[in-house]
Amino acid sequence: MMMKRFLLLTSLAVIGSCLSQKTFPQPQTLKVFENTSVNFAKEGRIEKASRLQDGRLIIKKVNAPVFAYGTDVKIKVTVKSNGDRWDKSGSVFVIPDMENINLLTVAEGNAKFPANSMVEETFGGVKTSPDYQPAVELLRFMTPFGVGHYSDEVKFPSIKYSRPVYVPKWENQVHWTQDISQLSSLVQGDFYIGVWIDTWTAEGYLVDVDLIYSGRPRPTPKVLPLQNTVYYANGQRIPDFFSRTSLAGDFNLTKTAKNVTLHYITTGHGGHAGGDEFIKINNTMKIDGQKAIDFIPWRDDCSSFRRFNPSSGVWVKKDTASYYNDDYQRVKGEVTERLASSDLSRSNWCPGSSVEPLRVNLGSLEAGQHNYEVIIPATANQGDENNHWLVSSYLTFE
């Protein structure tokens, strides 16, 4: 009897394993872009893809596997300089709605952003509306100072004088991997995916983008974009309006949404030494008048990315330190240290870093009309300061 039971359980286990292997897809990696240039010169053809905005925006339609039972998804992005020595904002995104006016039709010059997607009647494509949805960010990143191109100390011998003793060598590239399983519904089947880098040089950057699917069954949440201030295309401007007004909008739910999560991505830029990039400024987001987010986005670990920033500007700073002299005696004295621009703390980003969304559980939201408001007491611009905030958010829910 025990032997029959053992054989039965063994058979069921084998059948279950076979069914699992037959029903659920195996892990897959989709190579979206490979060593692809993003520049400001329209240089370099991309197979089955478009190069828009003078090359600063690349976009293509891809066909990804479909996972009937859901899947984990990760995005992997690799960036290296092709000659641009500066740190620049970057974004990998998908277009959530191809049926109406969208980022691609505007970037191609075939449409204009709807009036109800604008802020101050001049910043187009920012807010979701009944006939428009802004791009959804898969990954926000910041390019390093010159990694890859300027990492060669033979070709650029002066670069070695900027390298501190704790960095054994400059890296040749930087890559980030982020879990985007909450957006799995947007990256299955046919969809449009793009990369934008705010480069103003003809050399620009070289980019790889991979989507990694585990095939592991899991729930697939719905996604509702709320807003995105990244200035991907013509008709969009550097979003400096937060010093004058909040970003307010509406969204509609056709039925009650459960397990709602707000995903909020924010980085501050510009203003030179005393501007929003380098000072702490509070971010508040309200849903239906209630604070959902209220925090100061800030990174003070930027010096840990030094190995990715060979072309960063460097100053010398005198300090008093305790150290060992040639006789192995501990003494205190004046030292001179390198301070790189890439070391400085910033508004939620470091040169060479990716930006993690802030996630807030909102519980359930009833069917019907809702509103949101993003409030950032930003610094007003004078001259060429260019204070601005790149903010995007979306909801996921059952």
Side-chain angles (χ1 to χ4, degrees), residues 229-355:
T229 70
V230 178
Y231 48 107
Y232 299 106
N234 49 298
Q236 297 182 307
R237 295 166 46 198
I238 293 177
D240 65 357
F241 53 79
F242 280 110
S243 65
R244 300 183 298 273
T245 184
S246 63
L247 197 173
D250 301 306
F251 62 95
N252 185 66
L253 296 173
T254 57
K255 61 181 182 179
T256 297
K258 299 178 180 179
N259 294 325
V260 182
T261 300
L262 170 62
H263 305 258
Y264 182 86
I265 305 169
T266 182
T267 50
H269 305 270
H272 307 304
D276 287 6
E277 184 171 317
F278 298 107
I279 59 177
K280 296 180 178 181
I281 295 182
N282 202 74
N283 278 222
T284 301
M285 185 167 183
K286 297 179 181 180
I287 303 290
D288 295 333
Q290 301 296 314
K291 285 184 181 180
I293 288 173
D294 191 34
F295 80 121
I296 295 175
W298 192 249
R299 292 281 298 259
D300 58 9
D301 61 337
C302 294
S303 61
S304 65
F305 293 85
R306 186 69 183 99
R307 67 191 185 279
F308 299 108
N309 292 282
S311 63
S312 176
V314 175
W315 301 270
V316 292
K317 181 179 179 181
K318 291 185 178 181
D319 196 3
T320 300
S322 178
Y323 61 94
Y324 289 101
N325 63 16
D326 293 339
D327 297 323
Y328 297 99
Q329 296 173 323
R330 194 169 185 84
V331 297
K332 185 183 293 183
E334 186 179 86
V335 297
T336 300
E337 296 185 282
R338 299 177 180 90
L339 176 66
S341 172
S342 60
D343 295 339
L344 302 177
S345 301
R346 288 175 167 85
S347 292
N348 212 36
W349 62 277
C350 300
S353 70
S354 61
V355 182

Side-chain angles (χ1 to χ4, degrees), residues 100-272:
N100 295 297
I101 296 173
N102 57 68
L103 177 64
L104 179 58
T105 58
V106 174
E108 290 178 331
N110 298 321
K112 293 183 178 180
F113 289 113
N116 54 12
S117 74
M118 294 185 176
V119 176
E120 292 189 334
E121 299 182 350
T122 54
F123 297 88
V126 173
K127 301 186 293 185
T128 195
S129 65
D131 53 358
Y132 172 79
Q133 289 188 349
V136 176
E137 286 194 275
L138 301 179
L139 182 78
R140 173 88 57 83
F141 64 89
M142 302 295 155
T143 70
F145 283 94
V147 72
H149 186 81
Y150 293 98
S151 302
D152 188 340
E153 292 187 357
V154 175
K155 189 175 181 180
F156 302 99
S158 64
I159 290 292
K160 66 182 179 182
Y161 298 111
S162 298
R163 179 166 51 83
V165 294
Y166 61 82
V167 174
K169 68 179 182 64
W170 300 117
E171 296 295 332
N172 291 319
Q173 61 188 13
V174 60
H175 71 264
W176 312 279
T177 301
Q178 200 168 106
D179 189 331
I180 57 167
S181 299
Q182 75 277 5
L183 298 174
S184 62
S185 65
L186 301 183
V187 291
Q188 297 185 56
D190 294 336
F191 61 93
Y192 282 84
I193 181 171
V195 179
W196 169 86
I197 298 179
D198 190 25
T199 178
W200 294 98
T201 70
E203 299 81 14
Y205 299 85
L206 297 174
V207 177
D208 289 21
V209 177
D210 294 339
L211 293 174
I212 304 164
Y213 303 86
S214 72
R216 181 180 73 93
R218 56 164 290 160
T220 302
K222 298 179 176 64
V223 180
L224 177 61
L226 296 182
Q227 43 79 23
N228 190 337
T229 70
V230 178
Y231 48 107
Y232 299 106
N234 49 298
Q236 297 182 307
R237 295 166 46 198
I238 293 177
D240 65 357
F241 53 79
F242 280 110
S243 65
R244 300 183 298 273
T245 184
S246 63
L247 197 173
D250 301 306
F251 62 95
N252 185 66
L253 296 173
T254 57
K255 61 181 182 179
T256 297
K258 299 178 180 179
N259 294 325
V260 182
T261 300
L262 170 62
H263 305 258
Y264 182 86
I265 305 169
T266 182
T267 50
H269 305 270
H272 307 304

